[in-house]
Amino acid sequence: MQKLQPKIKDVAHVAGVSTATVSRALTQPERLSETTREKVFDAIRATGYRVNKAARNLRTRRAGAVLVLVPNLGNPFFSTILSSINEVLAANGYSVLVFDSQQPSAPGQVVSDYMLNGSVDGLITLDGNVSSAMGDTLKNAHMLGNVVFCCEWSDALPLPSIRSDNALGARLAVDHLFALGHRRIAHVTGPADNILAKVRRAAFEARCAELGLTVAPEWIIPGDFTLASGAHAAEQLVAMPERPTAVFCASDEMALSLISRCKQHGLSVPKDLSVVGFDDLEIAGFVQPSLTTIRQDRTGLGRRAAEELITRLNSVQPQEISRIVLSPVDLIIRDTTATIGP
Amino acid sequence: MQKLQPKIKDVAHVAGVSTATVSRALTQPERLSETTREKVFDAIRATGYRVNKAARNLRTRRAGAVLVLVPNLGNPFFSTILSSINEVLAANGYSVLVFDSQQPSAPGQVVSDYMLNGSVDGLITLDGNVSSAMGDTLKNAHMLGNVVFCCEWSDALPLPSIRSDNALGARLAVDHLFALGHRRIAHVTGPADNILAKVRRAAFEARCAELGLTVAPEWIIPGDFTLASGAHAAEQLVAMPERPTAVFCASDEMALSLISRCKQHGLSVPKDLSVVGFDDLEIAGFVQPSLTTIRQDRTGLGRRAAEELITRLNSVQPQEISRIVLSPVDLIIRDTTATIGP
DNA sequence: AATCAAGATGTAATCGATTACAGAAGCTTC
DNA sequence: GAAGCTTCTGTAATCGATTACATCTTGATT
């Protein structure tokens, strides 16, 4: 009873046509006469035929798949983006492979492998820390044109990048706090080597300077986007002799845990401390007090990145031109920010 | 300059051996003499050769890839599991394809396609709502043995299932609340058609009955695991004339938003209301008050599911035997539960 | 020295689709 | 009615690896 998967030959036999005709019915049905087409489709239904992807991929030299490189899949920020990438790619007939770049194996190596061995046609990377070695490898294989950055990016690689207007986000946060009367504003950063962290911090400092605010060095508190680092930052904050009246955190997760830890130390948010986050995770609106934050259009970012990649994969002319799409950000004012006390 | 990707023939030419030898160097190096092996590896390095996956897959009739079906990729609960699945599969040489079953396209159809067209060798589904039609299709293609449930499952399909001991979790929650003196305990459920929600609710009711507690029908509050539904449940709760003193929520997200909304209504947790969640999301320990909850070993679940699938893919004898692995759960006592007031 | 086994390597068929090229059939047009 | 066009379909080469089988060495055994 070991009935094998039917192949195109079996369908051809049942339909009484050649394999070429069956193949055409699959890929360019309009080129067949109506009667033949029907015959073939009937045979396909009758046999339960499914095309063999490996054979098709070998012949067409395409994979019909895209790799998404995610730094830390466990982070809800990325998984939402992944979801919308999946949606667009699936709608266009592409499969989605994922790889978590936190994996022990060298991600650059792994990614090059996927791209060069034909497992995928393109790459969307949410991780900006891609090695230049990987860039070189892909360039040599003429595959660099099939890479798109999403959210994070690398200035070393001139590739299209779909990202939020991070600098604007930081400015909005500072302006909001400034308008509320705050003059002593701290900042909890992301990882030092992260491009988002760098941009947000730089814009934070620049805006403070523009507004004539001095930022004491100790008010720049190092974090790494995680919950744990937010709590740690809170400890440093409460220990300061001259405590800032507001904090701008480079991620919502840090903001949430910072608030929680501050409360444990008897500080009340927003009365004693105003807090602004970044990302607008869904939960930001479902905590008490709800979090004032900078919203990123995560769904849009994923969608646009996927569309950009598809465009490039479909275009015959390889275009390695860097194109930057800045997705707008919004200040979402909720309950963790208030005017400075009397 | 359109240098094509080198193929095995090119390597063979450079190394001065046959293509068969090169292939052996790749797949069973121990069968070659040391000198030949070195020659081939040198040639591989010199040419920058990478095997063409499509060709290999076609010939070996294997894909070296696994599909993970996720209900709602945006949910942090699932993405952690996905991460550990990725880790184990990558370490064993498998690629990971993901598909979000919330996608508009019929997931059963999509999954069958992936399995039957050879895109993947196996399936790990975190979604228990798989159609029996899909089961039939896979069974006919002798592919049902390559499917593993993780977290969720379906009683209609006799397949291996790696899951938490959900009933135990519910009992631990009830017992904990009971021990604190609570006698009026409510439950916020998951979606009515979800197997986890069913099991947790049934165990909740059973344990309450065993302890001699009556559960008023209105105390079973319908939810759907989401933040929004937790807030909605809170509204119902605060409106009750004879309010329960404790709530067991079927997910942490519902618990967190329920607490937040209750606070808005002036209820204090845990003084006026004790709350137990389910999952132990990372954030549960980073909110104030921190959430008492039932911990699931998400990393372990993903890891075990991946290992189970790999075992099955490697075994020659197809084994369609249902095997259930119950992963332990723990009650994590934090600050949202307390003894009932005087 | 003859026989045989084991080990190393090469030859060529094969996996299952796509597609260039060719041939057949039907229609126009002069 | 011949030539020229379309439109439809078939033949066979091709994509790039793996592997059954054959061949050739080499060394051991008797």
Side-chain angles (χ1 to χ4, degrees):
Chain A
M1 275 290 97
Q2 266 292 62
K3 242 200 302 185
L4 287 169
Q5 202 66 221
K7 48 179 92 168
I8 217 169
K9 212 167 164 182
D10 301 319
V11 178
H13 187 248
V14 170
V17 298
S18 74
T19 61
T21 299
V22 176
S23 179
R24 288 191 193 104
L26 258 29
T27 56
Q28 16 188 3
E30 73 283 357
R31 289 199 35 188
L32 296 184
S33 74
E34 173 136 5
T35 56
T36 313
R37 200 189 311 140
E38 289 307 325
K39 257 193 312 187
V40 174
F41 283 145
D42 286 346
I44 286 176
R45 268 186 293 271
T47 53
Y49 170 80
R50 305 287 176 102
V51 338
N52 179 311
K53 268 280 200 175
R56 170 178 284 180
N57 292 349
L58 173 59
R59 186 58 230 245
T60 60
R61 299 150 165 285
R62 290 179 8 93
V66 165
L67 177 65
V68 182
L69 183 65
V70 184
N72 189 3
L73 262 175
N75 185 324
F77 176 76
F78 293 117
S79 54
T80 312
I81 297 174
L82 183 56
S83 176
S84 62
I85 289 177
N86 181 211
E87 190 180 323
V88 174
L89 288 178
N92 284 273
Y94 285 93
S95 310
V96 178
L97 286 129
V98 294
F99 190 78
D100 189 332
S101 55
Q102 272 195 337
Q103 224 71 170
S105 35
Q109 181 61 45
V110 173
V111 169
S112 311
D113 266 350
Y114 275 100
M115 292 287 276
L116 298 193
N117 73 18
S119 291
V120 299
D121 299 317
L123 166 69
I124 296 178
T125 174
L126 310 193
D127 187 343
N129 275 317
V130 290
S131 67
S132 62
M134 188 194 90
D136 292 343
T137 308
L138 294 183
K139 179 145 204 169
N140 286 336
H142 303 277
M143 286 255 98
L144 201 54
N146 301 337
V147 179
V148 171
F149 279 116
C150 181
C151 298
E152 297 189 2
W153 70 95
S154 163
D155 286 326
L157 288 178
L159 292 172
S161 161
I162 319 295
R163 52 173 101 151
S164 288
D165 192 340
N166 291 282
L168 174 60
R171 287 197 297 272
L172 288 174
V174 173
D175 288 352
H176 172 56
L177 292 170
F178 185 84
L180 290 171
H182 296 277
R183 296 296 177 266
R184 305 159 53 76
I185 308 177
H187 176 50
V188 184
T189 72
D193 64 346
N194 181 279
I195 188 82
L196 300 173
K198 285 184 211 168
V199 170
R200 289 174 196 170
R201 174 182 172 169
F204 166 83
E205 291 180 332
R207 191 53 159 192
C208 283
E210 283 173 26
L211 294 171
L213 304 180
T214 47
V215 179
E218 59 168 3
W219 295 353
I220 302 289
I221 309 175
D224 61 6
F225 290 146
T226 66
L227 288 162
S229 74
H232 188 245
E235 297 290 351
Q236 298 187 240
L237 200 62
V238 298
M240 291 180 188
E242 282 197 87
R243 189 166 8 92
T245 62
V247 198
F248 166 47
C249 297
S251 81
D252 275 1
E253 295 209 312
M254 294 194 295
L256 292 171
S257 60
L258 178 140
I259 292 167
S260 162
R261 184 60 64 94
C262 282
K263 274 198 226 169
Q264 285 176 23
H265 283 280
L267 278 190
S268 164
V269 172
K271 198 153 65 73
D272 303 321
L273 184 74
S274 282
V275 179
V276 180
F278 206 113
D279 288 346
D280 195 29
L281 295 185
E282 195 188 2
I283 197 164
F286 288 96
V287 288
Q288 190 63 19
S290 59
L291 182 66
T292 294
T293 190
I294 305 297
R295 164 177 291 159
Q296 295 196 64
D297 179 12
R298 302 212 290 293
T299 304
L301 286 165
R303 188 185 310 275
R304 294 251 213 112
E307 287 165 353
E308 176 78 22
L309 182 60
I310 290 171
T311 304
R312 288 175 166 254
L313 292 180
N314 289 343
S315 82
V316 191
Q317 204 65 341
Q319 29 188 243
E320 301 199 1
I321 313 132
S322 149
R323 197 168 86 88
I324 295 174
V325 176
L326 275 193
S327 164
V329 295
D330 296 301
L331 171 69
I332 308 293
I333 300 175
R334 296 205 184 90
D335 303 334
T336 53
T337 46
T339 52
I340 196 160
Chain B
M1 274 288 96
Q2 266 289 59
K3 243 200 301 184
L4 285 169
Q5 202 63 222
K7 48 179 90 169
I8 215 169
K9 211 166 165 182
D10 302 319
V11 177
H13 186 248
V14 170
V17 298
S18 74
T19 61
T21 299
V22 176
S23 180
R24 287 192 193 102
L26 258 29
T27 55
Q28 18 187 359
E30 73 284 356
R31 289 199 37 188
L32 295 185
S33 72
E34 175 137 1
T35 56
T36 313
R37 201 188 313 139
E38 288 308 325
K39 253 192 314 188
V40 175
F41 283 145
D42 285 346
I44 287 177
R45 267 186 295 270
T47 54
Y49 169 81
R50 305 286 174 103
V51 337
N52 179 311
K53 267 280 199 175
R56 169 178 284 180
N57 291 350
L58 173 59
R59 186 58 231 246
T60 61
R61 300 152 163 285
R62 289 177 12 90
V66 165
L67 176 66
V68 182
L69 183 64
V70 184
N72 189 3
L73 262 176
N75 185 324
F77 177 76
F78 293 116
S79 53
T80 313
I81 297 173
L82 182 57
S83 176
S84 62
I85 289 177
N86 180 212
E87 190 180 323
V88 174
L89 288 178
N92 284 272
Y94 285 94
S95 310
V96 178
L97 286 130
V98 294
F99 190 78
D100 189 332
S101 55
Q102 272 194 338
Q103 223 72 170
S105 35
Q109 181 61 46
V110 174
V111 170
S112 310
D113 266 350
Y114 275 101
M115 292 288 275
L116 298 192
N117 75 17
S119 290
V120 299
D121 300 317
L123 167 70
I124 297 177
T125 174
L126 311 192
D127 186 344
N129 275 316
V130 289
S131 67
S132 61
M134 188 194 89
D136 292 343
T137 308
L138 294 183
K139 179 145 204 168
N140 286 336
H142 303 278
M143 286 256 98
L144 201 53
N146 301 337
V147 179
V148 172
F149 279 116
C150 181
C151 298
E152 297 190 4
W153 71 95
S154 162
D155 286 327
L157 289 178
L159 292 172
S161 161
I162 319 295
R163 52 172 100 153
S164 288
D165 191 340
N166 292 282
L168 173 61
R171 287 196 298 273
L172 288 174
V174 173
D175 288 353
H176 172 57
L177 293 169
F178 185 83
L180 290 171
H182 295 276
R183 295 297 178 266
R184 306 158 53 77
I185 308 177
H187 176 50
V188 184
T189 72
D193 64 345
N194 181 279
I195 189 81
L196 300 173
K198 285 184 208 168
V199 169
R200 289 173 195 170
R201 174 183 172 168
F204 167 82
E205 291 180 332
R207 191 53 158 195
C208 284
E210 281 174 27
L211 294 171
L213 304 179
T214 47
V215 178
E218 59 168 4
W219 295 354
I220 302 289
I221 309 175
D224 62 6
F225 289 147
T226 65
L227 288 161
S229 74
H232 188 245
E235 297 290 350
Q236 298 186 242
L237 200 63
V238 297
M240 290 182 189
E242 283 198 87
R243 193 168 3 95
T245 62
V247 198
F248 166 48
C249 296
S251 81
D252 275 1
E253 295 210 313
M254 294 194 296
L256 292 170
S257 59
L258 179 141
I259 291 167
S260 162
R261 185 59 66 92
C262 281
K263 273 198 226 168
Q264 285 176 23
H265 283 279
L267 277 191
S268 163
V269 173
K271 198 152 66 73
D272 303 320
L273 184 73
S274 281
V275 179
V276 179
F278 206 114
D279 288 346
D280 194 29
L281 295 185
E282 194 188 3
I283 196 164
F286 287 95
V287 288
Q288 191 64 17
S290 60
L291 182 66
T292 295
T293 189
I294 305 296
R295 163 177 293 158
Q296 296 195 62
D297 178 13
R298 303 212 291 292
T299 305
L301 285 164
R303 188 185 307 277
R304 295 252 212 111
E307 287 165 352
E308 176 77 24
L309 183 61
I310 289 170
T311 305
R312 291 177 163 251
L313 292 180
N314 288 342
S315 83
V316 192
Q317 204 65 342
Q319 29 188 242
E320 300 199 0
I321 314 132
S322 149
R323 197 168 87 88
I324 296 174
V325 176
L326 276 192
S327 164
V329 295
D330 295 302
L331 172 69
I332 308 294
I333 300 175
R334 295 205 184 91
D335 304 332
T336 55
T337 47
T339 52
I340 195 160

